[in-house]
Amino acid sequence: MADLVRVGRVGRPHGLDGSFFVEEPSERAEVFARGATVYLQGEPAKVVASRHGSGGRPVIRLDVAAERGAELAVARETLPTLGAEDEFYVFELVGLAVEEEGGRPLGRVREVLQYPANDVLELDSGASLPLVEACVRQVDLSGGRIVVAEGFADPD
């Protein structure tokens, strides 16, 4: 199976033809375009209909039945290469070590939570750090670490 990246999940039905709202959709609208391949719970499925519903959320129909709450993903190799050195996909942060500018280790990124104001790094140590410039000083994907400003995490 391909290395998959989550792009949303099956939401509530829309109409009677099997269409549904995509919850927590990727910002990349093309992943939900008619004819695109997505993975439904790890199995490939074709998008046979696509439009925008209320609130701008995608409404799609697949060539297979989709159960509410099921995960939607795309193959990692289909993602476009990012141009700038300081650009990264949020999923690439999971597993990275997090340390303060002074070198104090804070833990590893367990999950990146999406909130309206900004994303939040949830660490395996229980700490939560905002994914904002004032906090995150450096993201070093090749080095496997994130450096954050002092004062955002409670001291041990």
Side-chain angles (χ1 to χ4, degrees), residues 20-58:
F20 58 87
F21 281 97
V22 176
E23 293 180 356
E24 301 166 15
S26 167
E27 293 175 8
R28 293 181 50 238
E30 67 271 16
V31 302
F32 304 115
R34 187 168 185 237
T37 297
V38 295
Y39 288 81
L40 176 68
Q41 295 297 95
E43 296 298 321
K46 267 288 185 241
V47 177
V48 295
S50 178
R51 65 184 184 279
H52 289 289
S54 61
R57 287 185 303 162

Side-chain angles (χ1 to χ4, degrees), residues 29-128:
E30 67 271 16
V31 302
F32 304 115
R34 187 168 185 237
T37 297
V38 295
Y39 288 81
L40 176 68
Q41 295 297 95
E43 296 298 321
K46 267 288 185 241
V47 177
V48 295
S50 178
R51 65 184 184 279
H52 289 289
S54 61
R57 287 185 303 162
V59 173
I60 66 172
R61 182 168 41 94
L62 302 176
D63 63 351
V64 297
E67 192 172 313
R68 189 169 183 174
E71 185 172 288
L72 298 167
V74 295
R76 179 181 282 212
E77 65 267 10
T78 65
L79 296 175
T81 304
L82 299 175
E85 187 176 303
D86 63 344
E87 290 183 318
F88 51 84
Y89 287 107
V90 171
F91 70 85
E92 294 177 301
L93 304 179
V94 175
L96 296 183
V98 179
E99 62 183 53
E100 284 185 330
E101 287 177 306
R104 180 170 77 100
L106 300 175
R108 290 194 171 276
V109 178
R110 184 174 49 86
E111 189 175 0
V112 180
L113 304 173
Q114 295 178 346
Y115 288 104
N118 56 266
D119 292 348
V120 173
L121 301 174
E122 193 74 19
L123 306 186
D124 59 4
S125 63
S128 296

